[in-house]
Amino acid sequence: MNQKFRLENGGLINRDKKLSFKFNGKTYYGYEGDTLASALIANGVHLVGRSFKYHRPRGFFGAGVDEPYAIVQLYRNNETEPNIKATEQELFEGLEAKSVNCWPSVNFDIGAINNFLKIFLPAGFYYKTFMWPKSFWYRVYEPFIRKAAGLGVASTKHDKERYEHKYEYCDLLIAGSGPSGLASAYAAAKNGARVILAEDKPRFGGSLLTSDVNIGNQSGEDWAKSIISELKEMPNVVVKNRSQVFGYYDHNMLVMSEKVSDHLPKTKKHHPKQRLWYIRAKEVLISSGSIERPIVFGNNDTPGVMLSSAAKEYLKVYGVLVGKNPLVFTNNDSGYETAIEFKKNGINPIILDSRVNPQSEIIDEAINLGIKINFSYVVVAAHGYKKVSSADIAKISDDKKQLGTIENIKCDCICVSGFWTPTIHLASQSGNKTKFKEEIDAFVPGTSKQNETTLGAANGIFTLEETLKDSFIAGQDLSKKITNKDNKISFPNVVEKKSSQHDKFWCVPLPKGKSYKRFLDFQNDVAVSDIEIALKEGYRSIEHVKRYTTLGMATDQGKTSNLNGLQLVSDIENKVVPAVGHTTFRPPYTPISIGAIVGREVGKHSKPTRKSPMHSWHEKNNAVFVDAGVWLRPRYYKQGNETLFEASKREAKNVRTNVGVCDVTTLGKIDIKGPDAAELLNRVYTNAWLKLPVGKARYGVMLREDGIVMDDGTTTRISENHYHMTTTTAQAANVLSHLEYYLQLVWPELNVNVVSTTEQWAGAAIAGPKSRKLLEKLFPKNDVSNEGLPFMGYMESDLFGVKARIFRISFSGELAYEVNVESNNGQFMWEKIIELGQEFQVQPYGTEALSTLRIEMGHVAGSELDGRTISYDTSLEGLISKKKDFIGKRSLNREAFTSSDRQKIVGVIPLDKKTSIPEGSHLVKDAQAPLPNKKLGHISASCWSVEHDNPFSLAILKDGKNMIGEKLFVMSPLKNKVIPVEIVSSHYVDPKGERVRS
Amino acid sequence: MLHIKCPYCGMRSQNEFSYGGDASVKRPELNKEISDEEWDNFVYNRKSLRGKHLELWQHLSGCRQWIKVERDTTTHEIFNTYKADEEIS
Ligand SMILES: [Zn+2]
């Protein structure tokens, strides 16, 4: 048996199941039900890390979420995770952990040299030292700090684990399953309320697991067990352990992290590692208990100095001794409970009580057990490097200012109790105005902002009877309001020991001639002297002192350090603590893994994927897809070893010479119906719409109220009061919201309805000189001649029995049509087009060829309509009606929009007709001009013109109207390119637009 | 996350809504002669109010109605919500 600090009996661990684990490469054994901390202590391991700044040895300070020291790097199932508290991590077979903050090893640490240099590492050290010389920051300071600081290493691998999010509503959310949580949950559940009871530890019961009390003739632990098993049986109750309610947000939304699998060697199949619960509660009961406060003395960070409540928890829950020669240093009765527990297990502790002559039941019990007690005594300093080996102790004067003769006594641990600090984080996060409670020297919740009630120790109530009474009543009253039921519960008989008043004493003075470090913040290495320096340097606001010294800013968020820090500031400033005020508590209460926050929305699942009804055909025909918003669109159809460039050129060329077909399902489609539909269009688009005949399509541009182009597209009049609007793929959702805004809020008198039909229609653009021939085959019954279906014409037909809409519109600039069928028939339509198009050499084309075709034609798209351009800039000013008003028109006479040298779209060709021009490049007059070289415009889109067989780009250029024929330079510092170019018209192909009308 | 009562659908989470800004802004009537200042006030100028604010939200992932929400910009308290055409007392 290696676990030489494990008791023979006792604890709540499962001694039948022995587990092996590794710490810093060495194998140890523990039991099921241990934490990594309790198992290490059972093996006598107290050195677990190095402190953040001075790299002083670090042991265990607490036994749970408040732990500032024992942070490890965890290895589980071939994954690694930093910033894990050994006091929270449950032991599993094969667990591996390593110390952090030590290099090269925990026993010999180079950074510990900081400890001898500590005179150079005072408050604000980072701000002061690393300012100069500036060049040292990158080369010397930062690499050094990065190596020396930090709480572990984040894995760079993809996290294979699954994290889930869950949304839940309940009547009462109860955070914490100690006496107040259990009593209130029980009372509310009996009233039929929907209750969620959350406990961050694996075991329910909170302080009842470690205190010597009796409820209804049962031990506290047994009472907790019976309440929990009854709650678990009730259908209106959800009971969750390993679940930390860490954030209280607006409108009673709380977030809880449930560690579903962290305690297992490996996550079970189909289980998440963690689950994040978003809980909207009608009422919130905060029963988060309290955390013991340390007393500050010299070298109080030495391993083996720990909270007395933690020592008791290791004993009672895990059957582990934190030392065999303990010193208990207390200013209240809680230390006695720990001492009595030691004594009951055959250990002889010594109690040092700072109080002069306290009297209470529990003190009497300790005296009767023969425990040695020294009143008016304090620990002046701890000694020992890797673990406490002795302590300097002394008598202290009644005013706590003078120390008597210092004696050194041997000990192997010092259990400290400086009274209790209510855990008010959730209440404070909710907006509660907390108040300082003199009697307990701590803040407690005050006036609630949201529906939150704090109970028991979290509310500064430290007697069990009062806690249970308050909590039963709160559970009952709050649930009664919701369920209108009133089930009375008989109040159990409570037996507990009465405590006496604690001593308002928290910091031991330094003996003459000694300069021991007395730590306040154990994780960030903030000592009393640091706060003193900060105040001397003029920092006053507690928020500034916090940031300058980093007090309370570590991952434990000052759970054990905040109040002592405040005490110190108020002492030096001669203020009372409430006047100093505490810093703001912000979520999360405890570190939450990024994986849990992200949930399942990672990789492919970070957004939905939309696919057209023809998607599987594209897949089968070697389409290479591209993300277009959330849509997947074919970019090109690869033949053989073709590159993107070769394939898109071939596809575009085929459109210009034969016929191509492109999947345009992704275009936004909005169905517009009602007697005022034309009037709506007339107000939304810049051109006139009142006289569009039935069966005709028109191209329109819509603006925002600030005059900037919002979107463009064609809208077709299907029948008298029925229009079919198309939008760009990207703006589809925004345009619908835009129309709804005007119809619902601005012009509710218009009798029009709009609805998105994007997913109802599958669309195929058939483009090229042979497209009419193909159309004749597809619709043999219809007259699709230039007279029967002229440019911008519309016709309804059927495609071999399938209802179809035919629009004669063109984006490519060729003779072209767009055929829509109901989505279910999309694949059928597509296959028919391919089948009947064979004799006309039909080829599918993707977005790359589509871009090429529109660019060389000078048609604008998203890269020109980029939220910064007006109609004039994109040469769409011809579509602005002078006769009517429309959205955004009033903005167009702004000075900048009417200036004579306003930017305008142009074409750009490299002088060598070879070099392709990178998109986003800048246009300048003089390539040699000194920087910053004046930018005249930018390249918005580039292609290889298949018509002219040379590169061609579109650009938005200052005074573009008068720049045609000019020679400029394209500069792309990113691609390290300077290209001499000529400015030409943006209409590079068929400038008269004859093909679309042919 | 706010909890907003859609007058049509009931209490819903904020992530079903999109924000639409100050609800007291009135678009100038079409075809009406107005000064640059009036137009700028409509398009650009907004007060950043501390306290009670009447604002627009659209129930985007629900009934798609634009609604008016009376909310405190500092405490996020929502006092009342209204349909677009509802009289506000
Ligand atoms: Zn709604």
Side-chain angles (χ1 to χ4, degrees):
Chain A
M1 162 107 176
N2 253 337
Q3 304 176 40
K4 50 184 190 283
F5 287 84
R6 183 84 70 180
L7 295 167
E8 288 297 327
N9 298 298
L12 307 175
I13 46 168
N14 178 11
R15 288 176 191 261
D16 295 332
K17 193 149 179 211
K18 202 167 165 183
L19 304 173
S20 80
F21 68 101
K22 270 188 187 168
F23 182 66
N24 286 335
K26 201 173 159 196
T27 303
Y28 299 95
Y29 294 93
Y31 292 115
E32 187 179 75
D34 260 326
T35 59
L36 174 58
S38 68
L40 283 172
I41 297 172
N43 286 284
V45 177
H46 278 264
L47 177 61
V48 284
R50 292 277 173 170
S51 74
F52 198 68
K53 200 158 81 184
Y54 303 125
H55 286 232
R56 285 162 71 110
R58 286 292 183 246
F60 301 96
F61 195 69
V65 68
D66 50 321
E67 176 62 37
Y69 297 156
I71 286 164
V72 298
Q73 183 87 21
L74 186 77
Y75 300 84
R76 170 182 175 272
N77 192 27
N78 299 319
E79 295 280 345
T80 181
E81 207 177 333
N83 196 20
I84 297 291
K85 292 187 183 84
T87 53
E88 288 194 301
Q89 177 59 51
E90 290 173 65
L91 201 65
F92 52 77
E93 178 59 38
L95 179 149
E96 279 189 64
K98 277 185 188 157
S99 298
V100 295
N101 248 337
C102 359
W103 174 65
S105 84
V106 67
N107 281 301
F108 174 74
D109 181 295
I110 287 203
I113 214 154
N114 286 359
N115 193 26
F116 302 106
L117 295 175
K118 65 190 165 209
I119 192 158
F120 302 117
L121 292 167
F125 162 72
Y126 286 70
Y127 300 110
K128 290 170 187 160
T129 313
F130 298 129
M131 296 299 288
W132 184 91
K134 215 173 162 188
S135 63
F136 264 46
W137 175 251
Y138 303 102
R139 287 189 280 121
V140 183
Y141 297 142
E142 196 186 358
F144 172 75
I145 293 170
R146 284 199 185 281
K147 184 138 203 155
L151 297 168
V153 187
S155 171
T156 53
K157 283 196 301 182
H158 168 71
D159 188 348
K160 299 191 299 271
E161 297 279 357
R162 204 167 79 195
Y163 301 85
E164 274 176 2
H165 285 182
K166 186 177 166 78
Y167 291 81
E168 190 62 271
Y169 288 79
C170 67
D171 295 329
L172 275 83
L173 170 64
I174 299 166
S177 76
S180 51
L182 290 173
S184 54
Y186 189 73
K190 285 282 178 191
N191 260 348
R194 292 176 59 206
V195 173
I196 297 175
L197 175 63
E199 168 59 46
D200 69 324
K201 293 202 165 185
R203 297 174 187 84
F204 296 98
S207 64
L208 293 173
L209 299 179
T210 54
S211 52
D212 189 9
V213 294
N214 210 286
I215 308 171
N217 296 322
Q218 296 179 80
S219 73
E221 188 202 331
D222 287 342
W223 182 79
K225 248 188 212 153
S226 65
I227 293 280
I228 279 292
S229 53
E230 202 172 329
L231 286 173
K232 278 183 174 165
E233 293 304 311
M234 296 171 79
N236 52 327
V237 181
V238 173
V239 172
K240 282 282 163 194
N241 58 342
R242 303 187 175 101
S243 296
Q244 177 81 60
V245 180
F246 67 80
Y248 198 136
Y249 300 87
D250 288 314
H251 296 186
N252 285 305
M253 155 75 83
L254 291 97
V255 187
M256 172 171 98
S257 125
E258 181 190 2
K259 295 199 168 164
V260 182
S261 309
D262 292 69
H263 63 293
L264 301 171
K266 194 174 154 184
T267 306
K268 284 186 205 146
K269 207 173 175 189
H270 306 307
H271 281 225
K273 181 164 187 246
Q274 293 175 12
R275 188 180 285 128
L276 212 64
W277 294 56
Y278 291 88
I279 303 169
R280 190 80 71 172
K282 287 198 181 114
E283 295 285 342
V284 179
L285 290 173
I286 301 168
S287 45
S288 45
S290 55
I291 291 172
E292 203 164 23
R293 269 202 300 273
I295 303 176
V296 180
F297 55 86
N299 301 330
N300 57 336
D301 63 331
T302 313
V305 177
M306 65 166 64
L307 293 172
S308 99
S309 57
K312 189 174 70 170
E313 189 168 334
Y314 286 119
L315 262 165
K316 291 205 75 162
V317 176
Y318 305 102
V320 165
L321 291 168
V322 298
K324 293 182 177 174
N325 194 10
L327 198 58
V328 175
F329 177 28
T330 187
N331 71 359
N332 69 97
D333 284 3
S334 297
Y336 288 80
E337 291 177 25
T338 305
I340 289 168
E341 252 351 282
F342 272 118
K343 186 75 185 175
K344 280 182 185 167
N345 285 289
I347 303 289
N348 287 313
I350 299 172
I351 296 177
L352 305 185
D353 190 333
S354 70
R355 294 176 293 183
V356 181
N357 191 19
Q359 278 173 356
S360 75
E361 270 180 68
I362 191 160
I363 297 174
D364 290 344
E365 189 184 342
I367 293 169
N368 290 339
L369 283 169
I371 295 173
K372 190 172 177 224
I373 307 169
N374 295 312
F375 294 117
S376 292
Y377 253 80
V378 296
V379 174
V380 176
H383 294 293
Y385 188 56
K386 288 173 185 172
K387 197 184 176 192
V388 174
S389 55
S390 73
D392 286 348
I393 65 168
K395 210 168 168 75
I396 193 161
S397 61
D398 290 0
D399 66 358
K400 311 289 190 219
K401 296 215 166 106
Q402 307 296 322
L403 294 172
T405 321
I406 289 170
E407 318 153 41
N408 184 271
I409 60 168
K410 293 265 169 270
C411 62
D412 64 356
C413 68
I414 303 175
C415 309
V416 189
S417 178
F419 206 51
W420 296 86
T421 306
T423 304
I424 57 167
H425 296 65
L426 285 178
S428 172
Q429 287 172 17
S430 85
N432 188 299
K433 291 263 172 293
T434 57
K435 59 183 190 215
F436 191 73
K437 195 171 171 186
E438 246 359 287
E439 306 96 275
I440 61 166
D441 288 326
F443 287 91
V444 291
T447 320
S448 305
K449 193 186 122 189
Q450 304 197 44
N451 299 352
E452 126 274 322
T453 311
T454 304
L455 296 166
N459 195 28
I461 310 291
F462 295 125
T463 71
L464 181 62
E465 185 157 14
E466 201 183 342
T467 290
L468 287 177
K469 223 168 229 167
D470 286 356
S471 307
F472 273 118
I473 291 168
Q476 206 154 15
D477 288 356
L478 292 170
S479 57
K480 198 168 106 186
K481 279 200 307 192
I482 298 165
T483 64
N484 289 317
K485 288 187 192 151
D486 198 5
N487 266 321
K488 288 268 177 280
I489 293 163
S490 60
F491 187 73
N493 186 41
V494 174
V495 182
E496 65 182 315
K497 287 178 200 118
K498 302 255 175 325
S499 293
S500 56
Q501 175 65 37
H502 78 287
D503 196 357
K504 289 172 182 295
F505 168 72
W506 61 277
C507 183
V508 180
L510 279 179
K512 274 199 183 63
K514 297 286 183 189
S515 59
Y516 301 125
K517 276 267 173 202
R518 293 172 297 166
F519 284 94
L520 290 166
D521 183 317
F522 302 104
Q523 201 180 12
N524 263 358
D525 277 3
V526 181
V528 170
S529 51
D530 294 313
I531 303 284
E532 287 168 349
I533 289 172
L535 290 163
K536 252 184 226 161
E537 291 183 359
Y539 289 89
R540 286 296 173 271
S541 154
I542 190 67
E543 296 283 359
H544 293 161
V545 172
K546 166 181 165 176
R547 279 155 187 83
Y548 192 59
T549 61
T550 70
L551 173 78
M553 283 178 65
T555 65
D556 71 335
Q557 295 213 348
K559 290 182 179 69
T560 50
S561 64
N562 273 344
L563 264 170
N564 284 338
L566 286 177
Q567 283 283 8
L568 178 63
V569 174
S570 63
D571 282 4
I572 298 172
E573 291 275 278
N574 237 333
K575 280 184 191 160
V576 285
V577 171
V580 175
H582 64 71
T583 53
T584 316
F585 293 107
R586 289 195 178 87
Y589 171 69
T590 189
I592 303 299
S593 16
I594 300 285
I597 294 167
V598 175
R600 297 194 63 181
E601 290 167 15
V602 288
K604 257 182 89 64
H605 301 296
S606 60
K607 56 184 186 352
T609 303
R610 294 175 85 178
K611 294 175 182 171
S612 96
M614 288 83 97
H615 188 83
S616 61
W617 189 94
H618 303 322
E619 270 180 332
K620 270 182 239 145
N621 288 274
N622 298 326
V624 177
F625 292 93
V626 62
D627 290 317
V630 295
W631 289 95
L632 270 184
R633 296 189 72 176
R635 191 172 186 191
Y636 63 100
Y637 300 81
K638 194 180 173 111
Q639 290 186 0
N641 290 325
E642 271 181 335
T643 60
L644 162 69
F645 180 70
E646 291 160 352
S648 61
K649 228 161 98 172
R650 167 183 54 74
E651 290 171 8
K653 187 94 193 152
N654 190 57
V655 172
R656 294 261 184 257
T657 48
N658 298 307
V659 58
V661 56
C662 181
D663 185 348
V664 291
T665 303
T666 62
L667 283 185
K669 304 174 200 78
I670 298 170
D671 212 49
I672 303 175
K673 275 185 177 163
D676 296 322
E679 179 61 29
L680 173 71
L681 295 172
N682 209 43
R683 294 179 186 189
V684 166
Y685 284 128
T686 63
N687 50 348
W689 283 81
L690 297 179
K691 289 177 184 153
L692 180 72
V694 172
K696 285 283 182 189
R698 184 166 286 174
Y699 174 72
V701 173
M702 59 178 83
L703 309 185
R704 312 190 306 214
E705 291 286 18
D706 63 2
I708 300 287
V709 176
M710 180 176 179
D711 198 42
D712 69 339
T714 56
T715 293
T716 306
R717 191 167 192 181
I718 305 287
S719 66
E720 182 62 23
N721 294 327
H722 183 192
Y723 291 79
H724 172 80
M725 174 186 273
T726 65
T727 72
T728 59
T729 303
Q731 290 290 334
N734 291 345
V735 170
L736 182 65
S737 256
H738 181 73
L739 299 179
E740 286 165 336
Y741 175 90
Y742 285 92
L743 285 172
Q744 292 173 28
L745 294 162
V746 186
W747 305 311
E749 68 278 8
L750 291 185
N751 190 356
V752 185
N753 271 306
V754 292
V755 68
S756 165
T757 52
T758 302
E759 300 198 334
Q760 274 63 42
W761 298 100
I766 302 171
K770 296 180 184 169
S771 60
R772 183 177 291 127
K773 292 224 164 62
L774 174 50
L775 218 65
E776 283 164 358
K777 295 268 173 187
L778 290 166
F779 303 100
K781 284 177 274 178
N782 294 86
D783 174 11
V784 294
S785 67
N786 206 18
E787 294 71 40
L789 183 57
F791 181 54
M792 295 310 247
Y794 166 75
M795 142 183 313
E796 284 168 17
S797 179
D798 81 272
L799 177 75
F800 304 101
V802 164
K803 195 173 106 189
R805 290 174 164 184
I806 313 166
F807 307 84
R808 187 168 162 197
I809 53 179
S810 176
F811 191 46
S812 57
E814 292 298 325
L815 169 67
Y817 303 86
E818 193 181 312
V819 181
N820 281 6
V821 295
E822 284 167 7
S823 291
N824 291 347
N825 300 320
Q827 183 102 356
F828 171 78
M829 164 182 70
W830 189 267
E831 283 169 356
K832 274 286 168 205
I833 294 169
I834 297 290
E835 179 197 325
L836 298 174
Q838 287 312 306
E839 60 176 294
F840 311 111
Q841 294 80 44
V842 74
Q843 281 184 26
Y845 64 102
T847 55
E848 202 67 25
L850 183 75
S851 288
T852 296
L853 295 165
R854 74 94 185 167
I855 292 168
E856 62 175 3
M857 196 53 69
H859 285 170
V860 294
S863 47
E864 289 77 36
L865 308 179
D866 62 356
R868 295 178 294 182
T869 47
I870 58 169
S871 295
Y872 174 86
D873 306 347
T874 46
S875 288
L876 297 167
E877 69 272 30
L879 292 173
I880 291 177
S881 164
K882 298 212 165 56
K883 292 189 194 130
K884 56 142 195 175
D885 199 1
F886 52 84
I887 292 170
K889 188 178 191 184
R890 182 63 180 77
S891 288
L892 295 180
N893 58 14
R894 299 188 69 81
E895 210 180 311
F897 288 177
T898 54
S899 80
S900 59
D901 62 349
R902 177 88 200 163
Q903 60 180 8
K904 200 169 187 54
I905 188 168
V906 293
V908 178
I909 306 168
L911 292 185
D912 68 359
K913 301 220 166 167
K914 269 188 232 151
T915 314
S916 29
I917 298 170
E919 288 176 346
S921 307
H922 285 191
L923 284 154
V924 298
K925 182 119 198 118
D926 175 7
Q928 307 300 323
L931 297 174
N933 198 340
K934 193 166 187 263
K935 171 197 166 188
L936 301 175
H938 72 276
I939 301 294
S940 60
S942 286
C943 72
W944 187 276
S945 166
V946 289
E947 182 93 2
H948 298 277
D949 203 23
N950 58 252
F952 176 74
S953 297
L954 292 175
I956 305 287
L957 181 63
K958 192 172 176 71
D959 198 19
K961 189 172 68 170
N962 298 313
M963 297 292 277
I964 309 294
E966 292 283 324
K967 305 267 194 303
L968 298 177
F969 293 92
V970 155
M971 293 187 81
S972 173
L974 271 178
K975 303 254 158 115
N976 201 18
K977 271 189 177 179
V978 178
I979 308 162
V981 294
E982 184 183 352
I983 305 303
V984 297
S985 157
S986 59
H987 300 293
Y988 199 38
V989 172
D990 188 24
K992 289 186 186 152
E994 285 163 345
R995 294 183 192 176
V996 294
R997 290 179 176 80
S998 62
Chain B
M1 205 187 303
L2 306 183
H3 211 202
I4 302 170
K5 187 179 172 188
C6 170
Y8 304 93
C9 311
M11 295 302 283
R12 297 301 181 96
S13 256
Q14 183 184 345
N15 47 5
E16 294 187 11
F17 294 83
S18 71
Y19 184 67
D22 189 345
S24 66
V25 176
K26 268 223 150 6
R27 191 194 191 280
E29 275 171 48
L30 288 167
N31 299 307
K32 196 182 156 202
E33 283 282 318
I34 56 165
S35 67
D36 282 353
E37 197 188 344
E38 280 173 280
W39 183 254
D40 285 353
N41 281 339
F42 158 63
V43 178
Y44 297 103
N45 298 331
R46 296 288 181 274
K47 287 193 182 102
S48 181
L49 286 178
R50 183 190 167 97
K52 229 182 215 184
H53 189 228
L54 190 68
E55 54 201 20
L56 294 169
W57 290 77
Q58 188 184 14
H59 194 189
L60 208 63
S61 311
C63 62
R64 295 203 62 91
Q65 294 301 303
W66 284 90
I67 61 168
K68 291 176 183 173
V69 176
E70 197 174 35
R71 183 181 68 104
D72 191 303
T73 56
T74 45
T75 64
H76 300 313
E77 185 179 351
I78 291 176
F79 306 99
N80 219 332
T81 56
Y82 308 89
K83 296 178 181 174
D85 57 355
E86 212 172 319
E87 209 52 55
I88 294 167
S89 46

